[in-house]
Amino acid sequence: MARTIGSHGPTTMEAIRKAGLRLIFQHGYEAMSLRQLAAEVGIQPGSLYNHISTKQELLADLIQDHINDLLRELETALRDKEGAVERLRAFVAFHVSYHMTRKREVFIANSELRSLDPRNYEAVVALRGAYEQRLAEILTDGVAEGVFDVDDVQVATFAIIALLTGLCSWYRPGGRLTKDAIIAAHEKLVLSGVMPRSAKPSPSGRDGIKTE
């Protein structure tokens, strides 16, 4: 039985968000009802409206908060990194690490984009565009520095993000590869794809792929 935690305050709102994230991940946005959400949190259905106005509002907030966290933490990861190669390494390491630990948020942000109403959809797409633009800027700078050979920066941006995000479909904690090994493998794939053929990615300071 769900624990009753009361119907007011930030503690309840945080419980609603965590329960909503879990239920949407498990059952999908359309299948989750507010009555089910209230039961999961341990409050009366009517008490939900002290915290959220609609199920749509909850979904939009979860997705937008996820992408805002992504943007904010990316800026920290890129801080003090010099040169396009070093910044691309940092982007790859950050993106892979984040997606290893925030699987539910990533899944919902990608799979439930279609469930957003037009206003919320536009807001989320704008945030996603800001994240993609940071990678595009790194690639553009690399071309200008002569260290990257990229014919179409936009295509390369979409391809790299799709490659890095793809690990959400197969990564499981405690698997055969260490976290550092997985990051190193993705770095090698990305850098090999954007560097001129005559250049080879230099070691990033990590060991090669190792088994646990």
Side-chain angles (χ1 to χ4, degrees), residues 95-144:
H95 191 98
V96 171
S97 296
Y98 185 99
H99 285 64
M100 284 178 173
T101 58
R102 304 286 288 274
K103 186 173 181 177
R104 288 177 176 175
E105 292 91 332
V106 172
F107 178 83
I108 290 172
N110 291 329
S111 67
E112 297 295 352
L113 194 63
R114 65 183 185 277
S115 299
L116 294 172
D117 65 26
R119 179 176 60 84
N120 288 324
Y121 178 87
E122 290 177 5
V124 167
V125 168
L127 287 174
R128 284 168 58 128
Y131 185 78
E132 292 160 358
Q133 183 59 31
R134 295 297 286 120
L135 175 56
E137 289 168 358
I138 294 170
L139 297 177
T140 299
D141 289 346
V143 172

mmCIF file of all heavy atoms in Angstrom, residues 95-144:
data_model
loop_
_atom_site.group_PDB
_atom_site.id
_atom_site.type_symbol
_atom_site.label_atom_id
_atom_site.label_comp_id
_atom_site.label_asym_id
_atom_site.label_seq_id
_atom_site.Cartn_x
_atom_site.Cartn_y
_atom_site.Cartn_z
ATOM 1 N N HIS A 95 27.528 13.294 -22.453
ATOM 2 C CA HIS A 95 26.270 12.766 -22.992
ATOM 3 C C HIS A 95 26.103 11.287 -22.632
ATOM 4 O O HIS A 95 25.025 10.867 -22.197
ATOM 5 C CB HIS A 95 26.232 12.952 -24.508
ATOM 6 C CG HIS A 95 24.902 12.688 -25.121
ATOM 7 N ND1 HIS A 95 24.004 13.688 -25.424
ATOM 8 C CD2 HIS A 95 24.296 11.528 -25.492
ATOM 9 C CE1 HIS A 95 22.911 13.156 -25.955
ATOM 10 N NE2 HIS A 95 23.070 11.840 -26.006
ATOM 11 N N VAL A 96 27.159 10.523 -22.795
ATOM 12 C CA VAL A 96 27.089 9.097 -22.483
ATOM 13 C C VAL A 96 26.856 8.882 -20.994
ATOM 14 O O VAL A 96 25.996 8.085 -20.592
ATOM 15 C CB VAL A 96 28.373 8.381 -22.945
ATOM 16 C CG1 VAL A 96 28.400 6.943 -22.431
ATOM 17 C CG2 VAL A 96 28.456 8.393 -24.475
ATOM 18 N N SER A 97 27.597 9.590 -20.157
ATOM 19 C CA SER A 97 27.455 9.433 -18.701
ATOM 20 C C SER A 97 26.049 9.802 -18.241
ATOM 21 O O SER A 97 25.431 9.087 -17.438
ATOM 22 C CB SER A 97 28.473 10.310 -17.966
ATOM 23 O OG SER A 97 29.786 9.911 -18.253
ATOM 24 N N TYR A 98 25.548 10.916 -18.740
ATOM 25 C CA TYR A 98 24.210 11.387 -18.352
ATOM 26 C C TYR A 98 23.151 10.366 -18.742
ATOM 27 O O TYR A 98 22.254 10.044 -17.954
ATOM 28 C CB TYR A 98 23.932 12.729 -19.027
ATOM 29 C CG TYR A 98 22.623 13.376 -18.621
ATOM 30 C CD1 TYR A 98 22.599 14.380 -17.658
ATOM 31 C CD2 TYR A 98 21.413 13.005 -19.196
ATOM 32 C CE1 TYR A 98 21.420 14.990 -17.284
ATOM 33 C CE2 TYR A 98 20.220 13.603 -18.829
ATOM 34 C CZ TYR A 98 20.231 14.596 -17.879
ATOM 35 O OH TYR A 98 19.039 15.189 -17.509
ATOM 36 N N HIS A 99 23.261 9.842 -19.957
ATOM 37 C CA HIS A 99 22.236 8.924 -20.445
ATOM 38 C C HIS A 99 22.327 7.545 -19.791
ATOM 39 O O HIS A 99 21.362 6.785 -19.818
ATOM 40 C CB HIS A 99 22.310 8.822 -21.972
ATOM 41 C CG HIS A 99 21.750 10.030 -22.655
ATOM 42 N ND1 HIS A 99 22.308 11.270 -22.520
ATOM 43 C CD2 HIS A 99 20.657 10.190 -23.456
ATOM 44 C CE1 HIS A 99 21.601 12.153 -23.215
ATOM 45 N NE2 HIS A 99 20.591 11.527 -23.773
ATOM 46 N N MET A 100 23.466 7.239 -19.202
ATOM 47 C CA MET A 100 23.570 5.998 -18.426
ATOM 48 C C MET A 100 22.772 6.086 -17.129
ATOM 49 O O MET A 100 22.243 5.088 -16.638
ATOM 50 C CB MET A 100 25.033 5.715 -18.078
ATOM 51 C CG MET A 100 25.869 5.186 -19.212
ATOM 52 S SD MET A 100 27.577 4.960 -18.631
ATOM 53 C CE MET A 100 28.293 4.140 -20.049
ATOM 54 N N THR A 101 22.709 7.276 -16.558
ATOM 55 C CA THR A 101 22.126 7.440 -15.223
ATOM 56 C C THR A 101 20.722 8.036 -15.219
ATOM 57 O O THR A 101 20.057 8.019 -14.189
ATOM 58 C CB THR A 101 23.029 8.331 -14.359
ATOM 59 O OG1 THR A 101 23.198 9.601 -14.997
ATOM 60 C CG2 THR A 101 24.397 7.683 -14.179
ATOM 61 N N ARG A 102 20.264 8.557 -16.360
ATOM 62 C CA ARG A 102 18.947 9.207 -16.410
ATOM 63 C C ARG A 102 18.065 8.562 -17.476
ATOM 64 O O ARG A 102 17.407 9.239 -18.265
ATOM 65 C CB ARG A 102 19.120 10.698 -16.700
ATOM 66 C CG ARG A 102 20.020 11.434 -15.710
ATOM 67 C CD ARG A 102 19.360 11.670 -14.376
ATOM 68 N NE ARG A 102 18.339 12.676 -14.480
ATOM 69 C CZ ARG A 102 18.580 13.987 -14.388
ATOM 70 N NH1 ARG A 102 19.799 14.428 -14.193
ATOM 71 N NH2 ARG A 102 17.590 14.846 -14.479
ATOM 72 N N LYS A 103 18.038 7.243 -17.476
ATOM 73 C CA LYS A 103 17.375 6.501 -18.545
ATOM 74 C C LYS A 103 15.884 6.809 -18.634
ATOM 75 O O LYS A 103 15.332 6.937 -19.726
ATOM 76 C CB LYS A 103 17.592 5.003 -18.334
ATOM 77 C CG LYS A 103 17.074 4.147 -19.473
ATOM 78 C CD LYS A 103 17.466 2.699 -19.278
ATOM 79 C CE LYS A 103 16.960 1.832 -20.431
ATOM 80 N NZ LYS A 103 17.396 0.429 -20.299
ATOM 81 N N ARG A 104 15.212 6.903 -17.497
ATOM 82 C CA ARG A 104 13.775 7.171 -17.522
ATOM 83 C C ARG A 104 13.462 8.520 -18.147
ATOM 84 O O ARG A 104 12.574 8.636 -18.999
ATOM 85 C CB ARG A 104 13.202 7.112 -16.103
ATOM 86 C CG ARG A 104 13.114 5.703 -15.518
ATOM 87 C CD ARG A 104 12.604 5.735 -14.089
ATOM 88 N NE ARG A 104 12.424 4.401 -13.550
ATOM 89 C CZ ARG A 104 12.075 4.144 -12.306
ATOM 90 N NH1 ARG A 104 11.885 5.149 -11.457
ATOM 91 N NH2 ARG A 104 11.919 2.899 -11.898
ATOM 92 N N GLU A 105 14.196 9.552 -17.710
ATOM 93 C CA GLU A 105 13.955 10.894 -18.244
ATOM 94 C C GLU A 105 14.212 10.947 -19.749
ATOM 95 O O GLU A 105 13.445 11.552 -20.500
ATOM 96 C CB GLU A 105 14.843 11.914 -17.531
ATOM 97 C CG GLU A 105 14.494 12.147 -16.071
ATOM 98 C CD GLU A 105 15.257 11.232 -15.129
ATOM 99 O OE1 GLU A 105 15.636 10.117 -15.550
ATOM 100 O OE2 GLU A 105 15.465 11.636 -13.973
ATOM 101 N N VAL A 106 15.300 10.305 -20.173
ATOM 102 C CA VAL A 106 15.648 10.299 -21.595
ATOM 103 C C VAL A 106 14.577 9.579 -22.409
ATOM 104 O O VAL A 106 14.146 10.065 -23.459
ATOM 105 C CB VAL A 106 17.022 9.625 -21.807
ATOM 106 C CG1 VAL A 106 17.298 9.429 -23.288
ATOM 107 C CG2 VAL A 106 18.127 10.454 -21.165
ATOM 108 N N PHE A 107 14.137 8.432 -21.918
ATOM 109 C CA PHE A 107 13.116 7.662 -22.634
ATOM 110 C C PHE A 107 11.829 8.472 -22.785
ATOM 111 O O PHE A 107 11.255 8.535 -23.876
ATOM 112 C CB PHE A 107 12.829 6.358 -21.882
ATOM 113 C CG PHE A 107 11.747 5.528 -22.522
ATOM 114 C CD1 PHE A 107 12.035 4.682 -23.576
ATOM 115 C CD2 PHE A 107 10.434 5.606 -22.060
ATOM 116 C CE1 PHE A 107 11.040 3.925 -24.167
ATOM 117 C CE2 PHE A 107 9.428 4.853 -22.644
ATOM 118 C CZ PHE A 107 9.728 4.006 -23.705
ATOM 119 N N ILE A 108 11.388 9.091 -21.710
ATOM 120 C CA ILE A 108 10.141 9.860 -21.760
ATOM 121 C C ILE A 108 10.287 11.075 -22.672
ATOM 122 O O ILE A 108 9.390 11.386 -23.458
ATOM 123 C CB ILE A 108 9.724 10.283 -20.339
ATOM 124 C CG1 ILE A 108 9.281 9.046 -19.551
ATOM 125 C CG2 ILE A 108 8.609 11.320 -20.380
ATOM 126 C CD1 ILE A 108 9.040 9.313 -18.081
ATOM 127 N N ALA A 109 11.427 11.760 -22.595
ATOM 128 C CA ALA A 109 11.636 12.937 -23.428
ATOM 129 C C ALA A 109 11.603 12.592 -24.912
ATOM 130 O O ALA A 109 11.179 13.403 -25.746
ATOM 131 C CB ALA A 109 12.959 13.600 -23.083
ATOM 132 N N ASN A 110 12.032 11.375 -25.257
ATOM 133 C CA ASN A 110 12.038 10.968 -26.659
ATOM 134 C C ASN A 110 10.720 10.332 -27.083
ATOM 135 O O ASN A 110 10.176 10.652 -28.139
ATOM 136 C CB ASN A 110 13.192 9.990 -26.912
ATOM 137 C CG ASN A 110 14.546 10.652 -26.823
ATOM 138 O OD1 ASN A 110 14.690 11.827 -27.126
ATOM 139 N ND2 ASN A 110 15.545 9.918 -26.381
ATOM 140 N N SER A 111 10.188 9.439 -26.259
ATOM 141 C CA SER A 111 9.013 8.668 -26.668
ATOM 142 C C SER A 111 7.706 9.411 -26.489
ATOM 143 O O SER A 111 6.722 9.136 -27.190
ATOM 144 C CB SER A 111 8.951 7.343 -25.895
ATOM 145 O OG SER A 111 8.712 7.576 -24.520
ATOM 146 N N GLU A 112 7.657 10.358 -25.549
ATOM 147 C CA GLU A 112 6.405 11.051 -25.278
ATOM 148 C C GLU A 112 6.356 12.458 -25.856
ATOM 149 O O GLU A 112 5.448 13.227 -25.544
ATOM 150 C CB GLU A 112 6.154 11.102 -23.764
ATOM 151 C CG GLU A 112 5.979 9.743 -23.117
ATOM 152 C CD GLU A 112 4.732 8.996 -23.590
ATOM 153 O OE1 GLU A 112 3.917 9.594 -24.322
ATOM 154 O OE2 GLU A 112 4.566 7.815 -23.219
ATOM 155 N N LEU A 113 7.301 12.776 -26.707
ATOM 156 C CA LEU A 113 7.268 14.079 -27.372
ATOM 157 C C LEU A 113 5.951 14.247 -28.130
ATOM 158 O O LEU A 113 5.372 15.328 -28.173
ATOM 159 C CB LEU A 113 8.453 14.201 -28.329
ATOM 160 C CG LEU A 113 8.785 15.594 -28.878
ATOM 161 C CD1 LEU A 113 9.178 16.538 -27.764
ATOM 162 C CD2 LEU A 113 9.892 15.504 -29.913
ATOM 163 N N ARG A 114 5.459 13.155 -28.699
ATOM 164 C CA ARG A 114 4.217 13.179 -29.467
ATOM 165 C C ARG A 114 2.995 13.466 -28.602
ATOM 166 O O ARG A 114 1.939 13.845 -29.120
ATOM 167 C CB ARG A 114 4.023 11.829 -30.161
ATOM 168 C CG ARG A 114 3.823 10.677 -29.192
ATOM 169 C CD ARG A 114 3.701 9.338 -29.896
ATOM 170 N NE ARG A 114 3.402 8.244 -28.983
ATOM 171 C CZ ARG A 114 4.299 7.590 -28.268
ATOM 172 N NH1 ARG A 114 5.572 7.923 -28.396
ATOM 173 N NH2 ARG A 114 3.943 6.615 -27.447
ATOM 174 N N SER A 115 3.119 13.273 -27.287
ATOM 175 C CA SER A 115 1.979 13.464 -26.392
ATOM 176 C C SER A 115 1.831 14.903 -25.912
ATOM 177 O O SER A 115 0.841 15.233 -25.248
ATOM 178 C CB SER A 115 2.116 12.539 -25.172
ATOM 179 O OG SER A 115 2.134 11.180 -25.565
ATOM 180 N N LEU A 116 2.792 15.751 -26.214
ATOM 181 C CA LEU A 116 2.728 17.148 -25.796
ATOM 182 C C LEU A 116 1.756 17.936 -26.666
ATOM 183 O O LEU A 116 1.645 17.690 -27.871
ATOM 184 C CB LEU A 116 4.111 17.786 -25.885
ATOM 185 C CG LEU A 116 5.170 17.252 -24.920
ATOM 186 C CD1 LEU A 116 6.536 17.834 -25.269
ATOM 187 C CD2 LEU A 116 4.805 17.565 -23.477
ATOM 188 N N ASP A 117 1.059 18.890 -26.059
ATOM 189 C CA ASP A 117 0.203 19.768 -26.859
ATOM 190 C C ASP A 117 1.102 20.727 -27.645
ATOM 191 O O ASP A 117 2.312 20.826 -27.368
ATOM 192 C CB ASP A 117 -0.820 20.502 -25.991
ATOM 193 C CG ASP A 117 -0.203 21.471 -24.994
ATOM 194 O OD1 ASP A 117 0.916 21.974 -25.226
ATOM 195 O OD2 ASP A 117 -0.847 21.739 -23.962
ATOM 196 N N PRO A 118 0.575 21.420 -28.654
ATOM 197 C CA PRO A 118 1.422 22.243 -29.533
ATOM 198 C C PRO A 118 2.304 23.249 -28.802
ATOM 199 O O PRO A 118 3.481 23.414 -29.145
ATOM 200 C CB PRO A 118 0.404 22.940 -30.439
ATOM 201 C CG PRO A 118 -0.739 21.969 -30.509
ATOM 202 C CD PRO A 118 -0.814 21.370 -29.137
ATOM 203 N N ARG A 119 1.779 23.920 -27.783
ATOM 204 C CA ARG A 119 2.568 24.930 -27.079
ATOM 205 C C ARG A 119 3.741 24.293 -26.349
ATOM 206 O O ARG A 119 4.886 24.766 -26.427
ATOM 207 C CB ARG A 119 1.684 25.687 -26.089
ATOM 208 C CG ARG A 119 2.416 26.751 -25.271
ATOM 209 C CD ARG A 119 1.436 27.513 -24.393
ATOM 210 N NE ARG A 119 0.753 26.620 -23.467
ATOM 211 C CZ ARG A 119 1.253 26.239 -22.280
ATOM 212 N NH1 ARG A 119 2.450 26.667 -21.899
ATOM 213 N NH2 ARG A 119 0.568 25.443 -21.492
ATOM 214 N N ASN A 120 3.485 23.215 -25.638
ATOM 215 C CA ASN A 120 4.555 22.539 -24.911
ATOM 216 C C ASN A 120 5.535 21.865 -25.868
ATOM 217 O O ASN A 120 6.741 21.824 -25.604
ATOM 218 C CB ASN A 120 3.965 21.502 -23.957
ATOM 219 C CG ASN A 120 3.278 22.136 -22.766
ATOM 220 O OD1 ASN A 120 3.723 23.158 -22.248
ATOM 221 N ND2 ASN A 120 2.175 21.540 -22.317
ATOM 222 N N TYR A 121 5.024 21.356 -26.975
ATOM 223 C CA TYR A 121 5.882 20.725 -27.973
ATOM 224 C C TYR A 121 6.898 21.734 -28.508
ATOM 225 O O TYR A 121 8.091 21.433 -28.606
ATOM 226 C CB TYR A 121 5.039 20.175 -29.116
ATOM 227 C CG TYR A 121 5.831 19.538 -30.235
ATOM 228 C CD1 TYR A 121 6.198 18.200 -30.177
ATOM 229 C CD2 TYR A 121 6.222 20.285 -31.350
ATOM 230 C CE1 TYR A 121 6.932 17.615 -31.199
ATOM 231 C CE2 TYR A 121 6.958 19.715 -32.370
ATOM 232 C CZ TYR A 121 7.299 18.384 -32.299
ATOM 233 O OH TYR A 121 8.027 17.817 -33.310
ATOM 234 N N GLU A 122 6.430 22.925 -28.835
ATOM 235 C CA GLU A 122 7.325 23.948 -29.376
ATOM 236 C C GLU A 122 8.392 24.336 -28.356
ATOM 237 O O GLU A 122 9.555 24.553 -28.702
ATOM 238 C CB GLU A 122 6.517 25.169 -29.802
ATOM 239 C CG GLU A 122 5.647 24.930 -31.032
ATOM 240 C CD GLU A 122 4.810 26.139 -31.395
ATOM 241 O OE1 GLU A 122 4.988 27.197 -30.737
ATOM 242 O OE2 GLU A 122 3.988 26.028 -32.315
ATOM 243 N N ALA A 123 8.006 24.433 -27.085
ATOM 244 C CA ALA A 123 8.961 24.806 -26.037
ATOM 245 C C ALA A 123 10.040 23.737 -25.883
ATOM 246 O O ALA A 123 11.234 24.049 -25.748
ATOM 247 C CB ALA A 123 8.231 25.023 -24.711
ATOM 248 N N VAL A 124 9.638 22.476 -25.920
ATOM 249 C CA VAL A 124 10.595 21.379 -25.776
ATOM 250 C C VAL A 124 11.520 21.295 -26.984
ATOM 251 O O VAL A 124 12.733 21.111 -26.844
ATOM 252 C CB VAL A 124 9.852 20.046 -25.562
ATOM 253 C CG1 VAL A 124 10.810 18.867 -25.722
ATOM 254 C CG2 VAL A 124 9.203 20.016 -24.185
ATOM 255 N N VAL A 125 10.970 21.441 -28.173
ATOM 256 C CA VAL A 125 11.790 21.397 -29.383
ATOM 257 C C VAL A 125 12.825 22.524 -29.374
ATOM 258 O O VAL A 125 13.968 22.333 -29.796
ATOM 259 C CB VAL A 125 10.900 21.463 -30.636
ATOM 260 C CG1 VAL A 125 11.740 21.721 -31.890
ATOM 261 C CG2 VAL A 125 10.111 20.170 -30.798
ATOM 262 N N ALA A 126 12.442 23.681 -28.861
ATOM 263 C CA ALA A 126 13.391 24.798 -28.775
ATOM 264 C C ALA A 126 14.539 24.460 -27.823
ATOM 265 O O ALA A 126 15.709 24.761 -28.106
ATOM 266 C CB ALA A 126 12.669 26.058 -28.312
ATOM 267 N N LEU A 127 14.215 23.839 -26.695
ATOM 268 C CA LEU A 127 15.259 23.446 -25.746
ATOM 269 C C LEU A 127 16.179 22.383 -26.350
ATOM 270 O O LEU A 127 17.396 22.441 -26.199
ATOM 271 C CB LEU A 127 14.622 22.911 -24.462
ATOM 272 C CG LEU A 127 13.983 23.938 -23.530
ATOM 273 C CD1 LEU A 127 13.259 23.236 -22.386
ATOM 274 C CD2 LEU A 127 15.036 24.891 -22.974
ATOM 275 N N ARG A 128 15.583 21.409 -27.026
ATOM 276 C CA ARG A 128 16.399 20.380 -27.677
ATOM 277 C C ARG A 128 17.300 21.008 -28.730
ATOM 278 O O ARG A 128 18.458 20.614 -28.891
ATOM 279 C CB ARG A 128 15.491 19.334 -28.330
ATOM 280 C CG ARG A 128 14.858 18.380 -27.343
ATOM 281 C CD ARG A 128 13.757 17.558 -27.960
ATOM 282 N NE ARG A 128 14.205 16.792 -29.099
ATOM 283 C CZ ARG A 128 14.005 15.476 -29.235
ATOM 284 N NH1 ARG A 128 13.367 14.801 -28.283
ATOM 285 N NH2 ARG A 128 14.416 14.841 -30.292
ATOM 286 N N GLY A 129 16.768 21.991 -29.439
ATOM 287 C CA GLY A 129 17.562 22.677 -30.448
ATOM 288 C C GLY A 129 18.761 23.392 -29.848
ATOM 289 O O GLY A 129 19.837 23.425 -30.449
ATOM 290 N N ALA A 130 18.589 23.941 -28.641
ATOM 291 C CA ALA A 130 19.698 24.626 -27.972
ATOM 292 C C ALA A 130 20.806 23.632 -27.619
ATOM 293 O O ALA A 130 21.999 23.950 -27.722
ATOM 294 C CB ALA A 130 19.193 25.325 -26.714
ATOM 295 N N TYR A 131 20.420 22.437 -27.220
ATOM 296 C CA TYR A 131 21.412 21.403 -26.898
ATOM 297 C C TYR A 131 22.144 20.954 -28.165
ATOM 298 O O TYR A 131 23.376 20.844 -28.182
ATOM 299 C CB TYR A 131 20.720 20.215 -26.237
ATOM 300 C CG TYR A 131 21.667 19.139 -25.765
ATOM 301 C CD1 TYR A 131 22.386 19.298 -24.579
ATOM 302 C CD2 TYR A 131 21.842 17.966 -26.489
ATOM 303 C CE1 TYR A 131 23.259 18.313 -24.136
ATOM 304 C CE2 TYR A 131 22.707 16.979 -26.052
ATOM 305 C CZ TYR A 131 23.417 17.157 -24.877
ATOM 306 O OH TYR A 131 24.291 16.175 -24.449
ATOM 307 N N GLU A 132 21.397 20.709 -29.214
ATOM 308 C CA GLU A 132 22.000 20.312 -30.483
ATOM 309 C C GLU A 132 22.934 21.396 -31.008
ATOM 310 O O GLU A 132 23.990 21.101 -31.593
ATOM 311 C CB GLU A 132 20.898 20.018 -31.503
ATOM 312 C CG GLU A 132 20.069 18.783 -31.168
ATOM 313 C CD GLU A 132 18.725 18.759 -31.876
ATOM 314 O OE1 GLU A 132 18.413 19.740 -32.601
ATOM 315 O OE2 GLU A 132 17.983 17.781 -31.702
ATOM 316 N N GLN A 133 22.562 22.653 -30.774
ATOM 317 C CA GLN A 133 23.382 23.758 -31.261
ATOM 318 C C GLN A 133 24.746 23.785 -30.602
ATOM 319 O O GLN A 133 25.738 24.159 -31.238
ATOM 320 C CB GLN A 133 22.651 25.083 -31.006
ATOM 321 C CG GLN A 133 23.377 26.317 -31.535
ATOM 322 C CD GLN A 133 23.628 26.266 -33.048
ATOM 323 O OE1 GLN A 133 22.830 25.675 -33.785
ATOM 324 N NE2 GLN A 133 24.704 26.890 -33.493
ATOM 325 N N ARG A 134 24.833 23.360 -29.349
ATOM 326 C CA ARG A 134 26.131 23.338 -28.683
ATOM 327 C C ARG A 134 27.074 22.362 -29.376
ATOM 328 O O ARG A 134 28.264 22.645 -29.556
ATOM 329 C CB ARG A 134 25.967 22.951 -27.199
ATOM 330 C CG ARG A 134 25.192 23.945 -26.390
ATOM 331 C CD ARG A 134 25.900 25.300 -26.334
ATOM 332 N NE ARG A 134 27.059 25.275 -25.459
ATOM 333 C CZ ARG A 134 28.308 25.528 -25.829
ATOM 334 N NH1 ARG A 134 28.589 25.824 -27.085
ATOM 335 N NH2 ARG A 134 29.293 25.519 -24.961
ATOM 336 N N LEU A 135 26.557 21.210 -29.773
ATOM 337 C CA LEU A 135 27.387 20.258 -30.516
ATOM 338 C C LEU A 135 27.723 20.806 -31.897
ATOM 339 O O LEU A 135 28.865 20.677 -32.358
ATOM 340 C CB LEU A 135 26.666 18.917 -30.649
ATOM 341 C CG LEU A 135 27.355 17.855 -31.507
ATOM 342 C CD1 LEU A 135 28.768 17.567 -31.004
ATOM 343 C CD2 LEU A 135 26.529 16.576 -31.538
ATOM 344 N N ALA A 136 26.756 21.421 -32.555
ATOM 345 C CA ALA A 136 27.003 21.990 -33.882
ATOM 346 C C ALA A 136 28.104 23.047 -33.826
ATOM 347 O O ALA A 136 28.940 23.138 -34.738
ATOM 348 C CB ALA A 136 25.716 22.592 -34.438
ATOM 349 N N GLU A 137 28.125 23.826 -32.766
ATOM 350 C CA GLU A 137 29.166 24.855 -32.614
ATOM 351 C C GLU A 137 30.550 24.216 -32.473
ATOM 352 O O GLU A 137 31.540 24.716 -33.032
ATOM 353 C CB GLU A 137 28.863 25.714 -31.388
ATOM 354 C CG GLU A 137 27.656 26.630 -31.563
ATOM 355 C CD GLU A 137 27.211 27.251 -30.251
ATOM 356 O OE1 GLU A 137 27.823 26.934 -29.201
ATOM 357 O OE2 GLU A 137 26.250 28.034 -30.274
ATOM 358 N N ILE A 138 30.621 23.121 -31.737
ATOM 359 C CA ILE A 138 31.900 22.421 -31.576
ATOM 360 C C ILE A 138 32.396 21.898 -32.920
ATOM 361 O O ILE A 138 33.573 22.037 -33.274
ATOM 362 C CB ILE A 138 31.757 21.270 -30.567
ATOM 363 C CG1 ILE A 138 31.471 21.819 -29.160
ATOM 364 C CG2 ILE A 138 33.026 20.400 -30.549
ATOM 365 C CD1 ILE A 138 31.085 20.743 -28.156
ATOM 366 N N LEU A 139 31.485 21.294 -33.683
ATOM 367 C CA LEU A 139 31.866 20.765 -34.997
ATOM 368 C C LEU A 139 32.277 21.884 -35.945
ATOM 369 O O LEU A 139 33.270 21.752 -36.684
ATOM 370 C CB LEU A 139 30.711 19.968 -35.586
ATOM 371 C CG LEU A 139 30.280 18.710 -34.807
ATOM 372 C CD1 LEU A 139 29.068 18.069 -35.472
ATOM 373 C CD2 LEU A 139 31.427 17.718 -34.706
ATOM 374 N N THR A 140 31.545 22.979 -35.930
ATOM 375 C CA THR A 140 31.872 24.121 -36.786
ATOM 376 C C THR A 140 33.247 24.683 -36.433
ATOM 377 O O THR A 140 34.060 24.990 -37.320
ATOM 378 C CB THR A 140 30.800 25.216 -36.642
ATOM 379 O OG1 THR A 140 29.530 24.690 -37.055
ATOM 380 C CG2 THR A 140 31.140 26.430 -37.505
ATOM 381 N N ASP A 141 33.512 24.801 -35.139
ATOM 382 C CA ASP A 141 34.825 25.298 -34.711
ATOM 383 C C ASP A 141 35.931 24.340 -35.142
ATOM 384 O O ASP A 141 37.018 24.769 -35.533
ATOM 385 C CB ASP A 141 34.851 25.466 -33.186
ATOM 386 C CG ASP A 141 33.997 26.627 -32.708
ATOM 387 O OD1 ASP A 141 33.597 27.453 -33.552
ATOM 388 O OD2 ASP A 141 33.733 26.703 -31.501
ATOM 389 N N GLY A 142 35.646 23.040 -35.062
ATOM 390 C CA GLY A 142 36.644 22.060 -35.472
ATOM 391 C C GLY A 142 36.979 22.139 -36.944
ATOM 392 O O GLY A 142 38.142 21.978 -37.349
ATOM 393 N N VAL A 143 35.971 22.396 -37.762
ATOM 394 C CA VAL A 143 36.207 22.583 -39.200
ATOM 395 C C VAL A 143 37.065 23.820 -39.416
ATOM 396 O O VAL A 143 38.023 23.807 -40.212
ATOM 397 C CB VAL A 143 34.867 22.690 -39.958
ATOM 398 C CG1 VAL A 143 35.120 23.080 -41.415
ATOM 399 C CG2 VAL A 143 34.101 21.375 -39.885
ATOM 400 N N ALA A 144 36.738 24.914 -38.710
ATOM 401 C CA ALA A 144 37.504 26.147 -38.846
ATOM 402 C C ALA A 144 38.949 25.973 -38.383
ATOM 403 O O ALA A 144 39.868 26.574 -38.950
ATOM 404 C CB ALA A 144 36.831 27.269 -38.049
#
